[in-house]
Amino acid sequence: MKRFLSLFIAFGVLLSSAAAAQEPYKKPPEIVQRILDAPRLPAVIPSPDGRILLLAQSRGMPTIADLAQPLLRLAGLRINPQTNGPYTTFGGYIALTLRDVATGREVSVELPAGVRLSSASWSPDGRSIAFDATGEQGIALWVLDVASGTGRSVTPPILNGTTGNTCTWMPNSREMLCRLVPAGRGPAPQAPRVPIGPIVQRNQGRAAPVRTYQDLLESPYDEQLFEYYATAQLALVDVNTGQQRPIGRPAIFLDSDPSPDGNMILVTRVVKPFSYMVPVSDFPQEIEVWSLAGEKVATLASLPSGETSPVDGVRTGPRSVRWVPGRPATLMYVEALDGGDNRRPAKERDRVMLADAPFSQPVELIRLEYRFSGGFGGGGTYFGRDGLVMVTETDRRTRHTRTWKLDLDEPGRAPQLVWDRSAEDRYSDPGQPVLKRDAAGFAVLRQSPDGRWIYLEGDGASPQGERPFLDRMNLQNGRTERLWQSSANAYEVVTQVLDDAARTILTRRETRADPPNYFLRDLRSRRETQITRLENPAPELSSVRRELVTYRRADGVQLSGTLYYPTDYKEGQKVPVIFWVYPREFASADAASQVVGNPNRFVLPSGASHLFLLTQGYAVLDNPTLPVIGGDTANNTYVEQTVAGAKAAVDHLLSMGVADGNFGVGGHSYGAFTTANLLAHSDLFKAGVARSGAYNRTLTPFGFQNERRTFWEARDVYMRMSPFSYADKVNEPILLIHGMNDNNSGTFPIQSERFYHALKGHGATVEYVQLPFESHGYAARESVMDVVARMIEWYDKYVKGKATAATP
């Protein structure tokens, strides 16, 4: 069972069993503390019509006391039982400002006392902004009137945020569809003092491989707790009067989305039996359409548990069910044609379906050779005017992707190919379509006033680095025109296009000397207006020298990375270098050779960043490309390829005359896994820092990262890739750090615990740091400071100041 008290029990065990190992939190040098505590950029959230900007300033890092909030770990969710919402480290907004784009006039909003505002959401008409207001008693709905700049609570703290958004705007902008704590729910279930018997799981000879998940249900009591906290009552809430109108009966909702005409609701309900093997998203589900009276209009699908779905596939039956924007009540969804199994040979994998109310006679739109890619309204499928929809399919094995243009008004019309390319090829990436919100609040393509053009924003990757851009593309002939591109001496990205003519855009710009800030750009007059004025928290950062370095692996593959020099670097000086690594798999060597990064980014570390090492006399080779080439069998030579990539970088830095021969390595998650492998299989580095990694791949036997083979299909690969198997070969000092509440799939804290035991058993120099209450990433101010301080101390002790090592 996953009661929040278990956290304190586990913490107590740590104290009692190894009290001498409990240490106070460390603090890094003063410059690091100053940078970490400095204000950060606010979020800038435009109104649907682009005329008003909401500037939302977030609170800084939470404290460890904030992370000690009550926690339930159930069905893959993390729930705060005190608030009936998500367990979150977000501290809320501390300042809200409304800015008129045309006049520049700003209005500061008075915030309510005693609550944390979060989840800002504009109404479709742009007159109101809704927030979750979280206090000690729960979550309330708080709505800001844009015209007056004043807000008020609309409901008491009765919202239920355990399984997703608490409230969604109705198309009329007067009401919100909310999930409430059911009235009269009663007290939470109490844990039984005496079990009624053993917990038994069974499988009747059917293969049901699943990935490794965290926070799953483990007992009947867990099931009771999950059902108690996740069950919600749908209701329409009038944002002016606060009046509530219940809809249907309480249930566990994964989705509850109003139709564009506001007369129906698409709901996805979780039903029993619950699973102990997969998270709530894979529990049995009923996908239905309800009327506003709560009556069932149609059942689209009754989905069984996802336990039996192919581990590298999708569920059978309707999936990715969504309303079609611009139509009163039309649904689009996807169905697998190959049993959902990517490994099964098939000429066609998916089909896309369209169903008008009453949803009994769906029409097939297109059959896809590859797997349907991305969700609706972004990430692969985009809706436009006059029946336009763009659908994307991707073949994971070859990394090939296609995007098709369809006409919903003429379903029988042949689709038109828009893009046909390698998803790995960053140089030819056309960019992502720019979206906006329509009158009903749905995400749709932003098109030119005459409807002939759409807009694309992209990274602009090239051999010289990234130069983000904004293009427009003609829907008839596919021709593109460049409207704007970041200058060669800055790094500037489009964050919003504010009108259909793409005359005004919102960008975020930074240079080597200037921290990131937001700007409004008029593309016709070329006039720019600075919106935010974030100050440089440390003048030393402005002088940091950095450059894109390129070099070749022994087999001829071109590699690259961003080399940062110490803040006090002097020309001709040789310094210790820390590699911060994270490898990636590629199907082709050409794609693996492409340059990643931009040398014009401002150095402004946040969180437990490795870039703080720059203030302590280290150079950092950030994200050196360590490609593992070979598609689905790339990991057959993972060790050889990563070691070869690291050696090429070491040799190049020595030839540049920058490195003094003392190299360290570090990484987080898969980067930690790679750090341990580099120490086990080479002598390139003098010490390493591995954070929140997985070191024994037999504990993730049904695949990990991009490895789709199981342990039993690629036993030698799993063993060869596991640094745990080679703990006796790690002869350099290694610092292991892990959050005690890690919720990332596969990186259970036991991974670091067992690796530490193996290293210690073979006499390695190793330190294992467990961070109370921390998850996969580290959030609390005390934890972040401690991690940075320990990294600096570790590299200072084992890398810096040693005699120059021989050239590897």
Side-chain angles (χ1 to χ4, degrees):
M1 61 187 76
K2 299 285 176 55
R3 300 185 298 277
F4 68 89
L5 286 177
S6 65
L7 288 175
F8 299 97
I9 294 171
F11 193 35
V13 170
L14 175 66
L15 286 170
S16 62
S17 64
Q22 190 75 20
E23 300 176 0
Y25 286 102
K26 293 178 177 288
K27 290 188 176 181
E30 185 276 333
I31 185 175
V32 175
Q33 298 183 53
R34 176 160 36 102
I35 295 171
L36 281 171
D37 289 332
R40 299 288 159 160
L41 265 183
V44 180
I45 311 170
S47 61
D49 61 8
R51 296 179 180 179
I52 303 293
L53 302 178
L54 171 68
L55 280 67
Q57 183 68 57
S58 300
R59 195 180 307 275
M61 292 181 291
T63 66
I64 196 67
D66 293 328
L67 267 63
Q69 62 189 277
L71 168 64
L72 292 172
R73 303 162 68 169
L74 302 167
L77 302 175
R78 296 203 161 181
I79 301 169
N80 183 335
Q82 185 173 316
T83 64
N84 221 108
Y87 175 90
T88 177
T89 60
F90 180 63
Y93 303 126
I94 59 173
L96 297 175
T97 303
L98 294 169
R99 180 186 175 99
D100 187 289
V101 171
T103 66
R105 178 175 175 267
E106 293 188 347
V107 175
S108 296
V109 177
E110 183 178 350
L111 303 184
V115 296
R116 293 181 288 107
L117 295 185
S118 61
S119 305
S121 173
W122 282 90
S123 62
D125 64 7
R127 296 181 179 181
S128 305
I129 309 175
F131 298 85
D132 285 349
T134 304
E136 293 185 358
Q137 303 304 315
I139 307 172
L141 175 61
W142 194 84
V143 176
L144 171 65
D145 176 71
V146 174
S148 65
T150 59
R152 62 185 181 86
S153 291
V154 175
T155 70
I158 58 172
L159 302 185
N160 189 327
T162 55
T163 59
N165 294 336
T166 56
C167 295
T168 302
W169 282 103
M170 294 294 287
N172 61 23
S173 294
R174 299 189 307 273
E175 298 172 303
M176 298 195 79
L177 179 63
C178 296
R179 301 179 191 179
L180 310 181
V181 173
R185 181 175 65 173
Q190 296 298 308
R193 293 182 58 191
V194 180
I196 63 173
I199 297 170
V200 180
Q201 300 183 58
R202 291 185 175 89
N203 185 60
Q204 300 297 325
R206 182 176 182 179
V210 294
R211 286 293 184 115
T212 306
Y213 296 107
Q214 306 272 46
D215 302 337
L216 301 178
L217 298 178
E218 293 183 354
S219 69
Y221 177 57
D222 280 358
E223 294 187 57
Q224 295 173 24
L225 282 177
F226 167 68
E227 188 169 18
Y228 177 84
Y229 285 106
T231 298
Q233 171 68 58
L234 289 184
L236 285 177
V237 177
D238 189 302
V239 298
N240 295 313
T241 66
Q243 181 179 357
Q244 302 166 20
R245 177 155 57 103
I247 298 175
R249 303 181 65 178
I252 300 174
F253 297 101
L254 293 183
D255 295 297
S256 50
D257 303 318
S259 59
D261 65 3
N263 293 325
M264 297 183 188
I265 304 171
L266 173 64
V267 301
T268 301
R269 295 187 296 113
V270 171
V271 296
K272 294 182 177 180
F274 301 150
S275 172
Y276 290 15
M277 298 295 292
V278 292
V280 61
S281 57
D282 281 328
F283 282 10
Q285 299 168 12
E286 296 289 324
I287 304 177
E288 302 165 337
V289 177
W290 290 7
S291 70
L292 295 187
E295 299 171 342
K296 185 168 67 174
V297 175
T299 297
L300 299 176
S302 297
L303 302 179
S305 171
E307 284 187 23
T308 57
S309 297
V311 71
D312 185 30
V314 297
R315 270 180 167 170
T316 55
R319 72 180 196 275
S320 298
V321 185
R322 290 292 183 270
W323 294 112
V324 175
R327 294 189 167 201
T330 298
L331 291 171
M332 184 181 284
Y333 58 90
V334 184
E335 289 181 328
L337 298 172
D338 58 357
D341 190 349
N342 288 341
R343 298 187 177 193
R344 179 187 299 178
K347 292 183 178 180
E348 296 168 330
R349 299 240 173 247
D350 281 330
R351 66 175 182 173
V352 181
M353 306 295 291
L354 191 70
D356 293 318
F359 318 108
S360 58
Q361 296 182 327
V363 176
E364 184 176 289
L365 281 177
I366 187 175
R367 292 194 169 211
L368 303 173
E369 179 184 357
Y370 303 151
R371 186 69 71 200
F372 171 83
S373 175
F376 292 114
T381 302
Y382 310 92
F383 297 98
R385 299 184 213 158
D386 303 321
L388 169 67
V389 63
M390 297 168 67
V391 174
T392 301
E393 58 175 334
T394 301
D395 181 50
R396 196 202 61 79
R397 184 181 62 83
T398 62
R399 276 58 163 183
H400 199 84
T401 182
R402 299 188 188 116
T403 298
W404 301 91
K405 185 176 67 171
L406 308 174
D407 188 341
L408 299 183
D409 295 333
E410 297 183 41
R413 188 174 178 181
Q416 298 181 33
L417 186 62
V418 181
W419 296 303
D420 187 359
R421 53 183 298 273
S422 168
E424 294 182 335
D425 187 0
R426 301 180 72 249
Y427 291 174
S428 68
D429 188 351
Q432 292 293 313
V434 174
L435 305 179
K436 68 172 186 177
R437 295 284 172 178
D438 68 6
F442 286 78
V444 296
L445 289 166
R446 188 176 285 282
Q447 294 174 247
S448 60
D450 60 11
R452 297 169 52 205
W453 302 81
I454 63 171
Y455 303 100
L456 306 171
E457 55 185 355
D459 295 332
S462 73
Q464 290 72 45
E466 297 171 354
R467 289 185 58 193
F469 64 84
L470 176 69
D471 283 357
R472 69 172 188 169
M473 186 186 81
N474 189 289
L475 287 169
Q476 297 302 314
N477 56 31
R479 180 170 58 89
T480 61
E481 296 178 2
R482 183 131 303 174
L483 302 179
W484 173 88
Q485 188 166 21
S486 175
S487 66
N489 59 359
Y491 180 78
E492 189 169 5
V493 296
V494 176
T495 60
Q496 294 286 341
V497 176
L498 298 180
D499 60 90
D500 287 348
R503 173 169 180 170
T504 307
I505 62 174
L506 181 69
T507 68
R508 187 183 69 248
R509 185 175 73 202
E510 58 191 282
T511 69
R512 294 170 182 249
D514 303 312
N517 274 294
Y518 285 98
F519 293 81
L520 281 172
R521 286 186 169 276
D522 187 313
L523 297 187
R524 291 185 186 176
S525 67
R526 303 298 178 185
R527 187 180 68 233
E528 69 175 43
T529 304
Q530 188 168 346
I531 300 298
T532 60
R533 298 190 181 277
L534 182 69
E535 300 294 332
N536 183 353
E540 299 92 332
L541 299 178
S542 297
S543 61
V544 170
R545 175 181 166 187
R546 86 297 316 260
E547 60 183 294
L548 280 175
V549 293
T550 58
Y551 45 95
R552 290 193 179 275
R553 207 165 66 178
D555 59 1
V557 176
Q558 179 174 287
L559 308 177
S560 64
T562 303
L563 177 64
Y564 293 88
Y565 292 73
T567 54
D568 59 353
Y569 183 76
K570 295 179 176 57
E571 191 65 35
Q573 183 181 6
K574 293 185 177 182
V575 296
V577 183
I578 306 300
F579 286 38
W580 200 256
V581 300
Y582 197 99
R584 286 174 173 80
E585 296 87 352
F586 292 88
S588 75
D590 288 343
S593 296
Q594 293 184 351
V595 173
V596 177
N598 181 296
N600 296 309
R601 304 294 298 268
F602 183 77
V603 179
L604 185 57
S606 61
S609 173
H610 51 285
L611 293 182
F612 283 117
L613 294 165
L614 301 175
T615 68
Q616 305 302 307
Y618 295 94
V620 172
L621 184 61
D622 190 28
N623 194 25
T625 50
L626 296 177
V628 185
I629 304 167
D632 283 353
T633 59
N635 283 333
N636 290 359
T637 54
Y638 163 88
V639 169
E640 292 77 8
Q641 292 195 60
T642 52
V643 170
K647 184 181 187 306
V650 165
D651 290 344
H652 182 71
L653 295 180
L654 289 171
S655 70
M656 289 176 63
V658 173
D660 66 1
N662 295 303
F663 294 95
V665 64
H668 191 95
S669 193
Y670 205 54
F673 166 75
T674 301
T675 293
N677 267 311
L678 288 172
L679 295 182
H681 296 286
S682 80
D683 292 313
L684 297 169
F685 303 99
K686 305 191 73 173
V689 174
R691 304 184 335 200
S692 299
Y695 309 104
N696 184 348
R697 284 305 170 193
T698 68
L699 298 179
T700 55
F702 288 104
F704 57 91
Q705 207 73 2
N706 282 321
E707 179 57 65
R708 294 301 187 265
R709 296 168 295 182
T710 71
F711 169 76
W712 298 273
E713 293 170 323
R715 192 188 313 266
D716 291 343
V717 173
Y718 274 66
M719 297 300 293
R720 172 72 168 157
M721 290 183 69
S722 296
F724 179 86
S725 302
Y726 296 89
D728 59 328
K729 303 298 183 183
V730 177
N731 54 12
E732 298 88 4
I734 182 170
L735 172 63
L736 302 175
I737 303 175
H738 216 120
M740 295 173 69
N741 285 356
D742 194 326
N743 66 341
N744 184 55
S745 177
T747 54
F748 291 91
I750 197 174
Q751 289 272 8
S752 287
E753 179 183 339
R754 291 292 183 257
F755 191 38
Y756 169 72
H757 290 169
L759 291 167
K760 182 179 179 182
H762 287 91
T765 300
V766 58
E767 186 171 306
Y768 175 33
V769 180
Q770 302 175 72
L771 300 174
F773 305 116
E774 292 292 353
S775 187
H776 191 58
Y778 316 138
R781 183 179 185 275
E782 294 88 340
S783 302
V784 169
M785 296 277 189
D786 184 86
V787 169
V788 175
R790 291 181 187 277
M791 289 171 57
I792 292 172
E793 289 180 2
W794 194 259
Y795 288 130
D796 280 355
K797 184 175 182 179
Y798 295 110
V799 176
K800 184 192 289 185
K802 300 289 184 179
T804 301
T807 301

